[in-house]
Amino acid sequence: MLAIKSLHHWQDAKAGLAEVMRVLKPGGRLFVSDEEPVAGRFGHGGGQLADPAFVVRTIKEAGFVDATLSQHSEGEVSMLVLAARKQAV
């Protein structure tokens, strides 16, 4: 499942992640990406969903495993990508 530049629009991230967990097959992957407009900030939204540490913690609390956060830059554009997976049965 891909969530590209959208997580900050989710009204309830925990409920959204619970739904992703429900429909994702065992071993399935979740990728969440957004711009890093300011160093250490996730996306152009505000609040807790702009904090990469909060996003990683929330994804782990939703039951995803192997969560990793990476930064990718090209010129002046910087993206943060979070990858996680649903545990295989």
Side-chain angles (χ1 to χ4, degrees), residues 45-67:
Q48 292 179 314
L49 290 176
D51 177 5
F54 175 81
V55 174
V56 171
R57 187 170 56 254
T58 302
I59 285 173
K60 287 179 178 179
E61 288 172 357
F64 290 91
V65 296
D66 300 331

Side-chain angles (χ1 to χ4, degrees), residues 1-3 7 10 13-21 24 28-33 42 48-49 51-69 80-87:
M1 189 244 158
L2 297 172
L7 184 65
W10 296 12
K14 290 181 181 183
L17 290 168
E19 179 64 6
V20 171
M21 178 63 75
L24 202 60
R29 303 284 303 188
L30 167 67
F31 295 93
V32 178
S33 70
F42 197 72
Q48 292 179 314
L49 290 176
D51 177 5
F54 175 81
V55 174
V56 171
R57 187 170 56 254
T58 302
I59 285 173
K60 287 179 178 179
E61 288 172 357
F64 290 91
V65 296
D66 300 331
T68 60
L69 182 68
L80 292 174
V81 177
L82 188 133
R85 68 176 178 83
K86 180 175 180 176
Q87 195 160 12

Side-chain angles (χ1 to χ4, degrees), residues 3-9 31-37 41-45 49-50 55 69-72 77-82:
I4 301 171
K5 298 172 87 173
S6 66
L7 184 65
H8 56 273
H9 293 291
F31 295 93
V32 178
S33 70
D34 212 325
E35 295 176 50
E36 185 184 30
R41 300 302 287 172
F42 197 72
H44 63 267
L49 290 176
V55 174
L69 182 68
S70 58
Q71 182 203 43
H72 304 269
V77 177
S78 181
M79 298 288 291
L80 292 174
V81 177
L82 188 133

